[in-house]
Amino acid sequence: MYDYNNFDEGFVRNRVSQFRAQVARRISGALTEDEFKPLRLMNGVYLQLHAYMLRVAIPYGSLNPHQMRQLAMIAERWDKGYGHWTTRQNIQYNWPRLADIPDMLEALADVGMHAIQTSGNTIRNVTADHFAGAAADEIEDPRPTAELLRQWSTDHPEFQFLPRKFKLAVTGSKADRAVTKAHDIGIRIVKNDAGEVGYQILVGGGLGRTPVVGQVLKDFLPREDLLPYVEAVVSVYNTLGRRDNKYKARIKITTMENGIDKIHDLVEARFAQLRPQFSGIDQAHFADISANFKAPEFKTASLDGYHAARDADPIFRSWSDTNVDDHRANGYGIVTISMKAHGATPGDADGNQMRMIADLAEQFGHGDIRISHEQNVVLPHVHRADLPAVFATLRAHGLATANAGLISDIIACPGMDYCALATARSIPVAQEIAERFDELKIEHDVGHLQIKISGCINACGHHHLGHIGILGLDRAGVENYQITLGGDAGPDTTIGKRAGPGFAYDQIVPAIERLVLAYLDLREDESETFIDAFRRLGEAPFKAALYPEEDKTHAA
Ligand code: HEM
Ligand code: SF4
């Protein structure tokens, strides 16, 4: 873990006291809401449907138990007792009183956290693989790179007023768990033929109303060129990006309008100017940062108890098969704690759950906790001998749902429950789908299937990248849900295609059910996942299941 040094601490404390004075001026009426808006946005404060909202950064999704307990305390003291994990590894508090927000920020500063640059047209929270430092397939831990980028981008004087928000994600594994191709800049740690570790740089990905898959801008960038190169990309975007139209302001549009070749040439030219300004201090600093992320001392223990528990308890076995991934260290596993109990709000955690997770991490997880972009919580380093105990505690707190990667492990944005921009509900749709498939008891038979739901075209719920995506719209005052098929958030990121006309609220769950039952009929065998079957067969049989009436008309 990276711990704040004196500079970080002083910087964050200063920001809190500055904002405290601004909030006081807003409350006294000295500032209007319009005048206050840019100030609050600098500090992660939104004005939502019912209340203000505070978005707190969790850099590359990493938390220690102490920080997790503080998030719990904040939720209980100043919110309604819970928080909401987001797809960009933040936590959102949906019900704070404006007057309390400076105290909340102070409490965050106490544990080395803040909300700076979690909103506004700046470089947002730098995200990374939630299995970082643990994954068996990792080339290198992406967290030191993400931390270097975080420090470089925080309060970067040139990049506080970009044409639009700007998102970076880093992965160190081929299995891209950071969705790098859906980011403004995606950074993939790679090895070249000479065995040197460097970066592949992708640019121009994004979701929203115009979803685009990022393109490769540089195949192999030496490590020491990272900051000047990324600075060159952002600086070209800052100059070239459109400020006349909010919907055309993202770098994905800049790249489409100018072409990747022109962007490439401009970046190279800017890079040549910037490179000499980087003296190498950043590399010395990178080495210091890396030292903070050294792996914990892994223990050795007998696996007999683990195997015995698997044999004795099918519920434990099912959970450990579904929610525990392979770890690079002998005898260890990576535990995904599903925040998607059937019928629960996807991604919500209350104070008790947060504290329980903090305790588990301390007792069994080398003090490390991650928040995944799928809105789950991960304990990256758990010895398998401890899994029965971890499972028992999770089960006692209702957090042992064995559904990681399955149909009820749904990403859903806040939709009409909170969001001022929503055109439809997302959370209840996710809840009803999860409950329906729990009733049918076919979730494990269906296997890996990602459903992602957004409550408007902004695509916060990543619906474009769902194997089945659901987009809630407003049609003349009535909620209408459009289905997209064939999206994928993996290394070969794919944007799903719209299946056809949308469905009314009470028709959406039956439509998903028809789709999934059709897949069960169509698949070659159990090893063929939904997305594989979709790729083999194309959309026609799936559309026929979705729109049976239409099919009859055609047949007549
Ligand atoms: C309730 C407060 C929220 C507001 C007001 C909000 C607003 C927005 C807006 C306006 C966009 C469109 C960006 C564009 O077109 O460039 C967007 C995109 C996005 N938001 Fe949210 N959002 C909220 C909550 C969330 C939550 C809870 C998540 C995670 C579940 C999230 C993650 C994202 C992501 C991943 C995008 C993708 C678009 C992209 O960057 O390419 N947002 N959001
Ligand atoms: S997708 Fe739309 S409704 Fe959902 S959180 Fe984003 S802006 Fe709000």
Side-chain angles (χ1 to χ4, degrees):
M1 285 285 305
Y2 176 80
D3 289 321
Y4 274 13
N5 59 27
N6 289 344
F7 172 84
D8 301 318
E9 162 100 22
F11 172 82
V12 171
R13 298 270 178 206
N14 264 335
R15 269 298 272 273
V16 176
S17 63
Q18 201 181 58
F19 188 54
R20 189 180 291 283
Q22 291 162 352
V23 167
R25 290 204 290 281
R26 171 69 195 111
I27 291 172
S28 75
L31 289 173
T32 63
E33 186 56 38
D34 272 357
E35 287 163 338
F36 180 58
K37 187 176 173 186
L39 305 173
R40 68 170 161 76
L41 288 179
M42 302 275 277
N43 294 284
V45 182
Y46 284 74
L47 187 54
Q48 280 305 290
L49 210 52
H50 313 288
Y52 283 101
M53 176 199 95
L54 176 64
R55 181 182 288 154
V56 177
I58 302 174
Y60 34 88
S62 273
L63 286 174
N64 62 37
H66 192 45
Q67 291 171 323
M68 186 63 127
R69 289 195 188 101
Q70 194 78 336
L71 295 181
M73 186 280 281
I74 291 172
E76 287 170 350
R77 182 149 173 206
W78 292 296
D79 205 286
K80 291 190 178 184
Y82 59 90
H84 188 78
W85 312 121
T86 82
T87 46
R88 295 213 73 259
Q89 298 178 318
N90 301 304
I91 182 169
Q92 294 189 172
Y93 291 109
N94 285 300
W95 303 99
R97 286 174 52 230
L98 181 59
D100 292 333
I101 292 179
D103 289 342
M104 295 169 84
L105 295 175
E106 196 81 57
L108 289 169
D110 289 344
V111 294
M113 296 181 74
H114 62 71
I116 297 165
Q117 291 186 200
T118 59
S119 49
N121 294 330
T122 57
I123 297 176
R124 299 290 187 88
N125 186 36
V126 179
T127 57
D129 184 352
H130 42 265
F131 290 176
D137 63 345
E138 190 169 85
I139 296 170
E140 182 184 273
D141 188 339
R143 288 173 302 162
T145 296
E147 176 58 26
L148 183 73
L149 288 161
R150 181 183 82 88
Q151 295 190 12
W152 158 84
S153 63
T154 303
D155 237 23
H156 193 301
E158 210 178 310
F159 303 141
Q160 294 308 301
F161 299 97
L162 293 170
R164 200 71 176 83
K165 61 180 169 180
F166 203 85
K167 301 177 180 177
L168 307 181
V170 192
T171 181
S173 293
K174 279 206 177 113
D176 182 357
R177 282 170 293 261
V179 210
T180 53
K181 279 195 174 171
H183 282 78
D184 296 289
I185 296 181
I187 297 164
R188 290 180 171 178
I189 296 173
V190 290
K191 237 183 210 165
N192 67 8
D193 294 341
E196 295 153 333
V197 173
Y199 303 103
Q200 184 188 57
I201 307 292
L202 304 153
V203 74
L207 302 175
R209 68 178 63 208
T210 317
V212 183
V213 173
Q215 302 179 61
V216 175
L217 188 63
K218 189 92 177 169
D219 239 337
F220 186 85
L221 186 73
R223 180 184 310 288
E224 61 274 17
D225 289 346
L226 181 70
L227 286 190
Y229 195 82
V230 172
E231 181 149 328
V233 178
V234 186
S235 133
V236 165
Y237 164 63
N238 202 12
T239 320
L240 212 59
R242 288 182 56 171
R243 288 181 154 84
D244 60 322
N245 181 339
K246 187 178 164 191
Y247 302 114
K248 299 196 167 165
R250 298 289 291 271
I251 196 172
K252 62 190 173 189
I253 308 289
T254 318
T255 309
M256 281 194 289
E257 286 183 347
N258 291 278
I260 187 87
D261 293 340
K262 179 169 171 196
I263 300 290
H264 178 263
D265 293 350
L266 290 169
V267 168
E268 291 293 331
R270 184 79 184 117
F271 173 71
Q273 290 170 337
L274 286 171
R275 186 67 190 89
Q277 296 171 26
F278 284 76
S279 59
I281 292 171
D282 57 324
Q283 290 311 294
H285 194 52
F286 180 79
D288 287 346
I289 292 173
S290 296
N292 279 289
F293 287 96
K294 61 178 188 304
E297 282 202 17
F298 294 120
K299 64 178 184 183
T300 45
S302 158
L303 289 172
D304 292 351
Y306 163 69
H307 289 301
R310 281 180 64 87
D311 291 343
D313 179 359
I315 302 180
F316 170 69
R317 189 169 60 236
S318 162
W319 175 81
S320 68
D321 284 345
T322 312
N323 287 37
V324 181
D325 279 85
D326 287 342
H327 194 284
R328 69 168 65 142
N330 234 343
Y332 271 75
I334 305 172
V335 172
T336 296
I337 302 174
S338 166
M339 304 306 292
K340 320 281 176 68
H342 301 116
T345 302
D348 267 13
D350 67 29
N352 286 332
Q353 293 173 329
M354 291 188 216
R355 267 191 300 272
M356 184 272 291
I357 292 169
D359 293 348
L360 277 182
E362 229 155 42
Q363 212 182 337
F364 301 112
H366 297 278
D368 203 346
I369 306 166
R370 309 290 168 74
I371 308 304
S372 79
H373 78 268
E374 282 130 351
Q375 303 181 289
N376 290 321
V377 179
V378 174
L379 299 178
H381 314 293
V382 180
H383 196 282
R384 287 182 187 266
D386 295 326
L387 286 178
V390 169
F391 174 71
T393 306
L394 290 175
R395 201 164 176 209
H397 287 81
L399 283 183
T401 317
N403 65 346
L406 303 185
I407 195 166
S408 62
D409 185 5
I410 297 173
I411 296 181
C413 83
M416 220 124 73
D417 286 77
Y418 300 111
C419 185
L421 306 172
T423 46
R425 285 169 288 174
S426 306
I427 292 170
V429 175
Q431 289 169 322
E432 285 177 28
I433 293 172
E435 282 176 334
R436 179 64 187 142
F437 281 90
D438 191 36
E439 258 165 43
L440 293 173
K441 298 287 170 230
I442 56 171
E443 183 166 19
H444 284 264
D445 190 22
V446 170
H448 183 54
L449 205 176
Q450 294 180 314
I451 297 188
K452 306 187 185 218
I453 310 176
S454 305
C456 81
I457 50 171
N458 286 323
C460 299
H462 286 200
H463 67 273
H464 298 294
L465 306 181
H467 300 152
I468 301 175
I470 302 177
L471 163 61
L473 295 169
D474 174 287
R475 290 260 175 278
V478 179
E479 285 164 278
N480 185 276
Y481 293 84
Q482 242 173 38
I483 291 185
T484 52
L485 293 174
D488 191 26
D492 299 315
T493 303
T494 313
I495 308 281
K497 278 209 207 109
R498 207 185 124 187
F503 294 89
Y505 183 82
D506 59 354
Q507 288 305 310
I508 187 71
V509 180
I512 301 294
E513 189 175 325
R514 287 199 299 281
L515 201 53
V516 174
L517 295 180
Y519 149 70
L520 290 177
D521 277 347
L522 289 162
R523 71 182 175 187
E524 274 181 329
D525 57 44
E526 281 175 21
S527 72
E528 192 179 42
T529 59
F530 179 91
I531 187 71
D532 289 343
F534 181 85
R535 284 179 178 151
R536 176 173 59 86
L537 295 163
E539 59 188 6
F542 295 92
K543 277 171 82 166
L546 268 181
Y547 303 103
E549 291 307 317
E550 203 175 83
D551 207 40
K552 267 187 227 143
T553 330
H554 289 164

